[in-house]
Amino acid sequence: MNWKVLACLPILIATAVPAYSLTNNKSHNPTTAAHVAQNTQQANTMKKANTVQKLHAKHKSNNMANHSTVLRVGSRGEAVKKAQNVLKQQGFYTASVNGVFDKNTRSAAIKFQKSKGLRADGIIGPRTMAAMK
């Protein structure tokens, strides 16, 4: 063989066979490896997000009626006003009826629930609503 071919042989082998890095990343282009890892993480994140959305969608469709009748701190609207009126008529609520479920409304709900033998958590759900009617 020619000495020139023998001299170039290590260079040819080095370019033909990719070297393995210390991080066990089989890609010889570090930017490509980062993009592949990032794309894989995004794909995994999207799969998890879609799964979570599906779970929430099932949960919402099964409990839509119950979810709309639950009043808790932060709730607002006509349903809260009605609850406050009932609690006020029965002497549990002393603040002004404003349609905002605040700490006063929660306190009145707890007193009402205790008086009816219900779980006193301050959340007006289906059982508390039924006892109010």
Side-chain angles (χ1 to χ4, degrees):
M1 260 203 196
N2 191 347
W3 68 272
K4 291 179 182 177
V5 173
L6 291 174
C8 292
L9 194 58
I11 296 171
L12 292 172
I13 292 174
T15 57
V17 179
Y20 290 96
S21 69
L22 294 175
T23 60
N24 292 330
N25 189 352
K26 293 185 172 128
S27 174
H28 59 279
N29 186 351
T31 57
T32 303
H35 289 301
V36 169
Q38 186 177 16
N39 289 340
T40 304
Q41 287 175 345
Q42 287 175 348
N44 287 341
T45 303
M46 290 301 292
K47 286 179 186 175
K48 289 178 185 176
N50 289 340
T51 304
V52 170
Q53 286 174 350
K54 288 178 185 176
L55 290 174
H56 286 304
K58 288 180 183 176
H59 181 69
K60 284 182 182 177
S61 64
N62 290 340
N63 295 325
M64 189 59 84
N66 290 342
H67 185 68
S68 64
T69 58
V70 175
L71 303 174
R72 57 176 55 107
V73 173
S75 298
R76 296 173 176 263
E78 288 300 316
V80 176
K81 280 185 181 180
K82 289 178 184 177
Q84 287 174 334
N85 279 325
V86 170
L87 292 169
K88 191 165 195 151
Q89 288 171 356
Q90 296 186 12
F92 296 106
Y93 186 69
T94 57
S96 64
V97 175
N98 57 6
V100 178
F101 200 116
D102 55 4
K103 64 180 184 177
N104 295 328
T105 309
R106 182 178 184 274
S107 175
I110 290 172
K111 290 174 189 174
F112 175 79
Q113 290 166 333
K114 285 181 180 178
S115 74
K116 299 294 182 181
L118 299 169
R119 180 177 173 201
D121 56 4
I123 297 172
I124 300 175
R127 290 183 180 165
T128 305
M129 290 269 199
M132 287 179 156
K133 292 181 180 179

